[in-house]
Amino acid sequence: MAQVKIVSDGPNYRHQIQAGAHHVVADEPATLGGQGAGMAPFELYLAALSACTAITLRMYAEKKGWDLGEFRAELSSSRDADNRLLVHRVLHASGALDDAQWQRLLDVVERTPVTLVMREGAVITSERAAG
């Protein structure tokens, strides 16, 4: 499905992430001992969800012939009393959409591929590299 590689390349917590020909820098903010040179891990988590949100809704709107205009999703995270992660999305579109169209978009966004995986969780395994 997807493959990424991360390499520690600099001071403290700065790392280079590579996916195919694309590169992203990850780091922690200075308040946590990093340099603030890139997005922190939970920002990358939200970025993945926001990218899937925007792309899925753009694809859906194009299929329906709807003009989203400029689309923007603002995501934030917090923890509840049981320390579960809560993610909230606020969606904006400059196109003239009626209430029924917005309701459909809000329905579609609940089933984007990354939304579904984040809700169901994932099996994560690890191993030591040979050699």
Side-chain angles (χ1 to χ4, degrees), residues 6-24:
I6 187 165
V7 177
S8 178
D9 77 335
N12 300 354
Y13 307 122
R14 189 179 77 194
H15 288 74
Q16 294 289 329
I17 300 171
Q18 181 179 351
H22 306 285
H23 298 268
V24 174

Side-chain angles (χ1 to χ4, degrees), residues 8-113:
S8 178
D9 77 335
N12 300 354
Y13 307 122
R14 189 179 77 194
H15 288 74
Q16 294 289 329
I17 300 171
Q18 181 179 351
H22 306 285
H23 298 268
V24 174
V25 175
D27 198 357
E28 288 288 355
T31 56
L32 295 177
Q35 302 298 309
M39 288 188 277
F42 274 102
E43 292 169 332
L44 289 163
Y45 182 84
L46 291 180
L49 181 58
S50 65
C52 189
T53 295
I55 292 167
T56 300
L57 292 185
R58 176 71 61 191
M59 292 169 84
Y60 184 83
E62 285 178 358
K63 179 181 166 188
K64 292 292 192 177
W66 300 349
D67 178 18
L68 287 181
E70 180 183 281
F71 179 81
R72 174 171 101 250
E74 298 170 359
L75 283 72
S76 60
S77 64
S78 61
R79 296 277 181 178
D80 69 9
D82 295 323
N83 205 33
R84 287 181 304 210
L85 184 68
L86 305 174
V87 176
H88 183 68
R89 288 183 280 215
V90 178
L91 310 178
H92 305 264
S94 66
L97 301 170
D98 62 30
D99 289 342
Q101 290 170 314
W102 266 112
Q103 190 55 51
R104 185 66 187 131
L105 291 174
L106 290 169
D107 181 53
V108 169
V109 80
E110 294 302 316
R111 293 185 315 280
T112 71

